[in-house]
Structures are given as C-alpha cells and as structure tokens.
Amino acid sequence: MKAGIVGLPNVGKSTLFNCLSNAKAQSANFPFCTIEPNIGVVNVPDSRLEKLETLVNPQRVIPATVEIVDIAGLVKGASKGEGLGNQFLGNIRETDAILHVLRCFDNDNVVHVDGSVDPIRDKETIDMELQLKDLESVEKKLDKVKRAAKTGNKEAQKEEAILNQLKEGLEAGDSVRAIVISEDDRLEYVKPLQLITDKPVMYVCNVDEASAVDGNHYVEKVKEAVAGESAEVIFLAVGTEADITELETYEERQMFLEDLGLSEPGSSKLIRGAYRLLNLETYFTAGEKEVRAWTIPVGATAPQAAGVIHTDFEKGFIRAEVISFDDYVNYGSETKVKEAGKMRIEGKEYTVKDGDVMHFRFNV
C-alpha cells in the first residue's frame, strides 16, 4: 500500500519526502527537480511498540512500515501532457492514497510557479488536472458500455447510468470521492476504473517555522475550502522538519522540538495519518526474540492477519491466542495475563482489533 505525495512544483514535496524517509531525494529551488518518482519505506511511529519493548525486553524490535512515493510536481495542462504530465499522472494512479502538499508560507526567496502564494488556487489547479484525467478515463469506458446498453443489456444500462453520473460530477468540478454513489455500486463499477480523484486524500499544509505549532491564516483557508470533502488537513513546517532530521542525536532533536513548543515531529503525525488514510491498522507479536508490529487492512480476520506473517499460517490456521494491548500493559507479561484469564482463544471468524497482541496456532 503506497501513499503518493503530490502538489505543484516547489511546494516542498521532496524536502518532506526526505524528512519522512531519510532517503535523500534531490530537492532544490526550481520546478521539476523530481522527474522519476522516489519511493521510501517509512517506519510508522507507535508508542505501543515502545511499551511492549520495555515489558518484553526482546532481542529486536520491528515497527510497521508504509510506502511513500514522491511524485514530480504537476502543472496546469498536465492532463494534456504539459510538464511531463501523463507520466506523473500515471505515477499517481499507481498509489493508494494521496498526500496533497500545499504551500502555506510566504518567502520571496522561494519561487512559486504562479508568482504568488495562494493554497486554494494551487489546490484547484491540481484538482482540475486530476479531474480532467479521470473524465478522460470515464468517457473512454462510457463509449464501450453505451454499445452494450443499446442492445438492452440491463447490467450495461446500470453501468452507463453510473458512468454518466461520474461524468456529470467531474464536469461540474467534483472529485469522484465526493460524488454520492452507493457503496456496492462504487465497489462494482467505480473501483475497477482506478480513478485518481477516487483515492482518499490528506492535505498537508507546509507552513513556516513561526506557524509550526498553531498554523496560520493559509491553513484556516484550506480547512474551510475542504470542509465538505471529509479529508484530513494537517500542517507542518517542512523546512524546520528537515533541519531536525539533520541533527545527530535523539536528545538534540527533542531539545529542538521543545524549543518550538512541539511534543513530536510533525512528520510523525503525517505518517500515522497516511497509515489511517490507507485504511491500515496494526497487531503485534511479542516474544523474547522480537517484538513486531504487523500491518493489516482494517477489518482483516485472524487467518488473514496470520497470512501476513506467512501464507502457511493462513492456509493451516487453527486458532489465534489474543491479548488486548491494554491487558498486556496492565498485567505486565503474557504469563500474568494468562493467570488472570484475560487471554482469549479466537477462531477463523474473528476480526482483528488494532493493537491486539497475537499468537497463531496452525498446521500445514
């Protein structure tokens, strides 16, 4: 599962990507610095993992991860191929969620492709290009479906009606995620099209250092503009985050954060937000050799969760031994949890809950 960082050129995407992944993507003060997408595997900050490490004292600790893709800046006309637009739009299509970076700071030394700072205009520019590309995809599909619908094919007629609804919405400037369609119809007819504006989105406001704690008037404008989208808005000072990651020791980084009035880096909030955006959650395994966070889709069953460790675990699944995270911490060890009768035995129908500590029994 991958989240793609998108936005206009020069809004701080590659600098943000470097903060998140510590992979040194090229970032500079000119448009189209990134051409090929950079991919980073990012650890998901999770204080629960640290608590389990303290209790179990394992040989190693392995956090959950999420893939972040740094996609080159889009410009007006991208849907028609401007600024290598087709390549970039193809890169976005391959991601599962979008982190849309908006410039929300004034600085005459950092050029803006449109000559002035206006995050709402920037958002609308990107939205329009993504919507135009989706409209092209919908119209192509509609041409094929219309022929079958004319023969009286009921299924094709239903699909035609939904495609027309998408077409009308996109032409009106709505993103697909905002068009009201039943969940069943969305799964059957919309999801297979892999439309870009159907992907969940989080708006990331890149602010200056002075606005790192409380945001600024640009952030408030963004929140107002996206109020109807059910999208999360977060803000962070990307340039300052970059300075923090350059510090050598944890203590130095914490002192820097405290001086700013922050309890943790903004990038940590963003990574956790991306994880939620991708509809992912975590379960843990805990033993002397390792304490590990495993990533599963929200709603995964116990056998599906076991399959993340190894396909044999899912094929030969017998049962799961489950301890809630809170019980593990309250009682302090697996042995004490068992003694208190708080370990549960769950079967194939069990839906894993975020934070469950699990052992699997299987036979192949």
Side-chain angles (χ1 to χ4, degrees):
M1 300 286 279
K2 292 185 289 195
I5 301 176
V6 306
L8 290 174
N10 248 22
V11 295
K13 298 183 309 301
S14 293
T15 307
L16 175 62
F17 175 80
N18 288 336
C19 293
L20 297 177
S21 66
N22 291 330
K24 298 299 178 192
Q26 188 187 3
S27 59
N29 185 18
F30 58 88
F32 301 118
C33 183
T34 304
I35 293 183
E36 290 300 322
N38 296 294
I39 299 176
V41 178
V42 181
N43 290 344
V44 178
D46 194 330
S47 59
R48 297 173 301 181
L49 199 60
E50 293 159 23
K51 285 182 182 171
L52 287 173
E53 181 184 7
T54 304
L55 293 171
V56 179
N57 195 24
Q59 293 170 25
R60 61 177 184 165
V61 177
I62 302 175
T65 59
V66 63
E67 274 194 14
I68 304 286
V69 187
D70 176 25
I71 294 164
L74 287 168
V75 292
K76 199 174 287 184
S79 58
K80 304 297 178 198
E82 291 292 326
L84 303 178
N86 287 327
Q87 179 186 336
F88 301 160
L89 289 162
N91 293 335
I92 298 169
R93 197 183 295 282
E94 290 168 13
T95 66
D96 303 289
I98 293 172
L99 306 174
H100 186 161
V101 181
L102 296 166
R103 176 171 168 176
C104 293
F105 66 89
D106 295 304
N107 185 338
D108 293 339
N109 295 321
V110 181
V111 296
H112 189 293
V113 286
D114 288 329
S116 62
V117 177
D118 184 344
I120 308 309
R121 178 200 60 210
D122 295 354
K123 173 193 175 301
E124 287 169 354
T125 298
I126 296 287
D127 282 352
M128 186 174 71
E129 294 307 323
L130 301 184
Q131 288 160 6
L132 285 169
K133 198 65 184 174
D134 280 350
L135 184 58
E136 190 183 296
S137 302
V138 168
E139 286 175 338
K140 274 184 191 170
K141 182 70 174 176
L142 196 51
D143 285 344
K144 291 178 185 173
V145 171
K146 273 179 179 173
R147 290 193 288 273
K150 278 178 183 171
T151 67
N153 182 316
K154 291 278 191 288
E155 188 67 24
Q157 287 171 349
K158 183 173 183 184
E159 186 170 7
E160 182 185 20
I162 287 164
L163 289 169
N164 275 321
Q165 191 181 343
L166 292 176
K167 183 173 183 286
E168 287 165 18
L170 288 163
E171 285 173 340
D174 295 328
S175 291
V176 172
R177 73 181 79 85
I179 298 170
V180 179
I181 295 172
S182 77
E183 201 52 45
D184 287 347
D185 288 344
R186 193 171 277 278
L187 276 172
E188 189 167 350
Y189 301 111
V190 182
K191 289 293 179 192
L193 296 173
Q194 285 189 294
L195 299 173
I196 299 169
T197 66
D198 192 34
K199 298 179 190 296
V201 65
M202 176 194 290
Y203 294 98
V204 182
C205 297
N206 181 9
V207 300
D208 55 14
E209 186 173 308
S211 308
V213 176
D214 298 317
N216 57 27
H217 67 288
Y218 289 129
V219 176
E220 293 311 311
K221 281 185 179 178
V222 172
K223 286 179 178 176
E224 284 172 27
V226 307
E229 285 190 40
S230 71
E232 191 173 346
V233 177
I234 71 164
F235 59 87
L236 67 161
V238 173
T240 306
E241 297 277 332
D243 292 340
I244 292 170
T245 60
E246 293 296 328
L247 296 172
E248 289 185 10
T249 67
Y250 173 79
E251 287 74 19
E252 285 176 308
R253 290 193 287 273
Q254 286 304 113
M255 281 176 64
F256 197 142
L257 287 168
E258 283 167 20
D259 287 345
L260 289 172
L262 295 170
S263 58
E264 66 173 352
S267 55
S268 295
K269 280 193 300 185
L270 190 149
I271 295 164
R272 287 196 298 271
Y275 201 67
R276 289 194 303 275
L277 199 62
L278 290 164
N279 206 31
L280 301 174
E281 62 185 12
T282 301
Y283 77 87
F284 302 101
T285 52
E288 286 179 14
K289 284 192 175 176
E290 77 175 25
V291 165
R292 183 164 182 160
W294 299 89
T295 299
I296 52 171
V298 171
T301 62
Q304 288 167 338
V308 173
I309 299 175
H310 197 288
T311 51
D312 284 351
F313 281 33
E314 184 171 4
K315 285 177 195 163
F317 180 89
I318 299 170
R319 66 178 186 272
E321 296 168 358
V322 184
I323 303 169
S324 78
F325 174 78
D326 288 342
D327 283 340
Y328 205 110
V329 172
N330 287 341
Y331 291 96
S333 73
E334 188 177 310
T335 304
K336 287 179 180 172
V337 169
K338 284 179 182 173
E339 286 169 0
K342 292 289 186 178
M343 178 184 274
R344 306 190 313 276
I345 305 299
E346 301 286 1
K348 290 182 178 180
E349 304 303 313
Y350 177 67
T351 300
V352 178
K353 294 178 178 58
D354 187 51
D356 278 349
V357 183
M358 306 183 77
H359 287 301
F360 298 104
R361 302 297 175 194
F362 69 102
N363 182 31
V364 177

